[in-house]
Amino acid sequence: MRNSSVIEAKDLNLTFETNDGPVHALKGVTLTIDKGDFVSFIGPSGCGKTTFLRVVAALEHPTGGSITVNGMTPDEARRQRAYGYVFQAAGLYPWRTIRGNIRLPLEIMGFPKAEQEAQIDRVLDLVELRGFGKKYPWQLSGGMQQRASIARALAFDADLLLMDEPFGALDEIVRDHLNEQLLHLWGSTNKTIGFVTHSIPEAVYLSTKIVVMSPRPGRITDVIESTLPRERPLDIRDTPEFLEIAHRVREGLRAGHAYDD
Amino acid sequence: MMRSVLPILTVVTALVLLWYGAAISMNSKWAQDQAARAGLDLSFTELVADTWSQDRPRLPAPHQVVQELWKSTGEMALKGRAFSKRSLIFHGWITLSATMLGFVIGTGAGILLAVGIVHYRVMDMSVMPWAIASQTIPIIAIAPMIIVVLNSIGIQGLVPKAIISAYLSFFPVVVGMVKGLRSPSIDQLDLLRTYNAGTGATFWKLRLPSSMPYLFTSLKIGMAASLVGAIVGELPTGAIRGLGARMLTGSYYGQTIQIWSALIAAAILAALLVGTIGLIQRATLKRMGMQP
């Protein structure tokens, strides 16, 4: 069991010093994420879900407690190219084609030319953007841009994919479609995914494990292991099982006084 | 196309009319003095005709300037004397070469300073105030000193003018490039951090391409400033060549038509230079795939 855990956080604390006094972004967060898990982090703004993801990515550093990624410190894990990160905004470079954008991490990491092209072909297929490689970002819809940014995160074949509200800016129909695609991608690549969201149905539909968080201080109020099967058609969302889990998430959010204000 | 042509033509026509009107009122005193001395009485049409055709008017009429421009450029070029000392093409070339050299020096220095300012906190704190201070000194005050100092170490001719021109043109490039190199968002910088990218990769792959639109805007301002610098550099030195020298000798001898034609020639030169940068900007941004 020990060697199959990808992320292990123990009593993690992170306090930002601001002019209005300290802000406890994370307090006593203990969590284990196993290989192949699809873990969603849900909670209102300021609950620390994004901060936790950024700590895993070594974009923020904890002020207390410990965290390992693949058994290493987050900084070491980053140097080992342990994870791909997807931001809320696709953030594609307007001066690069879709292929060029996906090539960016490969260039920086010094992949050989031939391998770069092979990897780009592979991930373009994964996100179903074959044939769009030569387009510029502005020629693609918002959903397609976000898929291209996922392809960019997958290009160097990290086992861990960290996604910070990747579909937050998209409309519901596109979002459903991308959720379905993401599940398919997860099923076919066996990656571990950490996924931040505001949406209860999205979290329940996608995850094997749902982490419910609440703000001030940012902490975990409930961790729900999903009982849904790995194969999930979209209409699974109408089953009693699904609704029961969604109910428990909602209860968890309420228990954390998440929506007091 | 037609939509933009019409307003432009309207404004140009209005300006030309205003100019002719001003020429009448500014030159009429001299015309009437002359007439009084000769014991003549001028009718209105005679007065107007006279104010528009004096040899040394206070304000030459547009057609006089255009005639002078043609005489000193196209006509001389047709005679094969484009580079004679009376040709504005010759003087324009002198000024242009100082402008271009100054522009290259100024732009290069501006970009290097901006790169330093963005990457080193010490430079950010120390260079920027000096750069701003440098622009508060009137160029007309500092130009003669630059010329004298450089002359004393044996440098004269093109280089001192180019340096004055660079002094004016580096500033907009510094300001624009600092803004451009800092234009990537936090998310974009974080993305590169997740790739473990170093300062060099961040600069070449993100900061520099992001700064291109800012660079071209700065280059346009810098180019115009370079030209002003080169002309100003010709004024205090008693230079005998260049558009600035033409303006200066024109004012010594009361040759207002000559001053104005040099002035218009400088304006045309500036428009051509800035327009060229505009074309390069369009082609570059298009090649970079920026949304048209």
Side-chain angles (χ1 to χ4, degrees):
Chain A
M1 210 43 213
R2 175 72 184 84
N3 54 10
S4 77
S5 70
V6 175
I7 297 168
E8 269 188 66
K10 277 201 199 76
D11 202 24
L12 204 61
N13 289 312
L14 200 161
T15 309
F16 293 111
E17 296 297 337
T18 70
N19 291 335
D20 300 330
V23 172
H24 299 281
L26 293 173
K27 196 166 175 66
V29 171
T30 299
L31 182 72
T32 303
I33 296 178
D34 292 328
K35 183 157 177 48
D37 269 353
F38 196 125
V39 182
S40 285
F41 298 84
I42 189 164
S45 308
C47 72
K49 52 193 194 302
T50 295
T51 308
F52 182 76
L53 219 59
R54 290 174 63 84
V55 169
V56 174
L59 292 172
E60 308 284 355
H61 291 90
T63 46
S66 70
I67 181 164
T68 60
V69 179
N70 290 338
M72 299 170 273
T73 69
D75 283 294
E76 282 165 356
R78 172 161 79 196
R79 282 194 282 278
Q80 305 275 326
R81 303 169 196 163
Y83 66 86
Y85 202 107
V86 179
F87 293 86
Q88 179 169 6
L92 300 169
Y93 289 2
W95 58 88
R96 283 179 176 240
T97 60
I98 299 304
R99 286 191 80 88
N101 270 288
I102 299 172
R103 194 181 294 114
L104 176 72
L106 303 173
E107 285 172 6
I108 291 171
M109 294 171 181
F111 280 67
K113 268 264 151 42
E115 200 186 334
Q116 289 181 11
E117 299 309 311
Q119 292 286 43
I120 295 169
D121 288 333
R122 180 182 65 85
V123 293
L124 277 176
D125 279 353
L126 271 180
V127 299
E128 294 173 29
L129 278 179
R130 198 176 335 150
F132 290 93
K134 292 201 169 116
K135 300 269 189 218
Y136 281 97
W138 60 269
Q139 294 171 297
L140 267 57
S141 68
M144 288 165 102
Q145 289 187 21
Q146 198 50 278
R147 268 148 65 194
S149 93
I150 293 170
R152 181 178 60 187
L154 293 169
F156 45 98
D157 219 8
D159 287 328
L160 175 61
L161 192 56
L162 304 173
M163 308 177 87
D164 185 4
E165 292 189 49
F167 309 139
L170 304 173
D171 68 63
E172 193 143 348
I173 299 164
V174 175
R175 198 178 226 206
D176 276 355
H177 181 58
L178 290 185
N179 281 341
E180 226 180 342
Q181 273 197 330
L182 183 59
L183 266 190
H184 181 72
L185 192 149
W186 171 68
S188 62
T189 56
N190 197 34
K191 291 201 185 296
T192 311
I193 297 181
F195 189 94
V196 167
T197 181
H198 269 123
S199 152
I200 296 173
E202 189 172 63
V204 179
Y205 176 65
L206 292 171
S207 321
T208 57
K209 191 187 258 190
I210 302 159
V211 179
V212 184
M213 300 181 77
S214 77
R216 286 180 297 273
R219 63 193 188 280
I220 295 176
T221 52
D222 196 6
V223 177
I224 303 164
E225 301 282 345
S226 178
T227 53
L228 296 174
R230 279 180 79 103
E231 279 292 322
R232 297 173 189 181
L234 268 177
D235 50 21
I236 204 170
R237 296 181 298 183
D238 298 324
T239 62
E241 229 180 335
F242 184 96
L243 297 174
E244 197 181 305
I245 300 171
H247 180 73
R248 199 176 146 192
V249 173
R250 203 166 287 118
E251 287 294 304
L253 289 171
R254 205 167 289 147
H257 304 288
Y259 294 115
D260 271 359
D261 37 5
Chain B
M1 195 59 194
M2 273 312 289
R3 252 199 209 163
S4 58
V5 166
L6 203 65
I8 290 173
L9 276 182
T10 314
V11 172
V12 169
T13 312
L15 281 177
V16 169
L17 288 177
L18 205 67
W19 190 348
Y20 271 114
I24 299 173
S25 65
M26 289 180 77
N27 301 335
S28 61
K29 188 169 184 308
W30 197 80
Q32 267 159 350
D33 285 351
Q34 287 297 101
R37 213 166 292 164
L40 292 170
D41 221 4
L42 284 177
S43 72
F44 181 71
T45 15
E46 284 168 330
L47 177 71
V48 168
D50 186 85
T51 56
W52 287 352
S53 59
Q54 293 170 5
D55 276 343
R56 294 179 181 189
R58 277 193 189 160
L59 179 67
H63 68 266
Q64 290 178 291
V65 176
V66 172
Q67 274 168 3
E68 168 70 17
L69 261 180
W70 172 248
K71 259 201 322 209
S72 53
T73 55
E75 200 178 297
M76 300 198 72
L78 288 180
K79 286 181 194 155
R81 293 175 55 218
F83 283 86
S84 101
K85 280 195 179 149
R86 294 201 49 216
S87 155
L88 268 185
I89 297 176
F90 166 77
H91 292 286
W93 166 251
I94 298 292
T95 303
L96 177 67
S97 47
T99 303
M100 291 313 291
L101 184 60
F103 178 72
V104 170
I105 297 171
T107 306
I111 291 175
L112 286 179
L113 281 175
V115 171
I117 286 171
V118 168
H119 286 97
Y120 302 101
R121 211 180 134 62
V122 177
M123 274 190 80
D124 186 16
M125 315 251 302
S126 58
V127 174
M128 215 45 183
W130 286 105
I132 294 168
S134 76
Q135 301 304 299
T136 61
I137 303 167
I139 188 66
I140 200 84
I142 208 166
M145 291 192 274
I146 292 177
I147 302 230
V148 167
V149 167
L150 288 179
N151 191 40
S152 73
I153 55 171
I155 301 172
Q156 47 188 351
L158 183 68
V159 176
K161 286 197 291 179
I163 285 174
I164 293 165
S165 155
Y167 184 92
L168 282 188
S169 65
F170 87 96
F171 186 68
V173 179
V174 171
V175 174
M177 279 304 276
V178 165
K179 197 160 167 49
L181 292 172
R182 283 193 176 142
S183 65
S185 67
I186 304 276
D187 269 5
Q188 285 181 309
L189 292 168
D190 276 348
L191 179 71
L192 287 183
R193 279 175 69 197
T194 71
Y195 303 150
N196 220 21
T199 312
T202 308
F203 177 78
W204 291 110
K205 306 231 180 264
L206 176 61
R207 288 193 191 274
L208 192 64
S210 305
S211 71
M212 280 304 128
Y214 295 85
L215 173 66
F216 280 108
T217 309
S218 307
L219 288 184
K220 285 183 187 168
I221 305 170
M223 182 58 100
S226 278
L227 184 65
V228 171
I231 290 173
V232 169
E234 287 162 351
L235 293 180
T237 52
I240 45 166
R241 304 187 305 173
L243 292 176
R246 281 293 275 193
M247 292 174 200
L248 200 64
T249 51
S251 78
Y252 283 160
Y253 302 110
Q255 296 286 356
T256 44
I257 299 178
Q258 183 187 321
I259 300 176
W260 278 85
S261 62
L263 213 66
I264 300 287
I268 292 170
L269 190 58
L272 288 177
L273 291 173
V274 174
T276 308
I277 294 178
L279 288 178
I280 298 171
Q281 173 182 29
R282 261 217 208 141
T284 308
L285 294 189
K286 201 176 162 201
R287 247 196 95 203
M288 283 175 74
M290 301 290 203
Q291 192 168 358

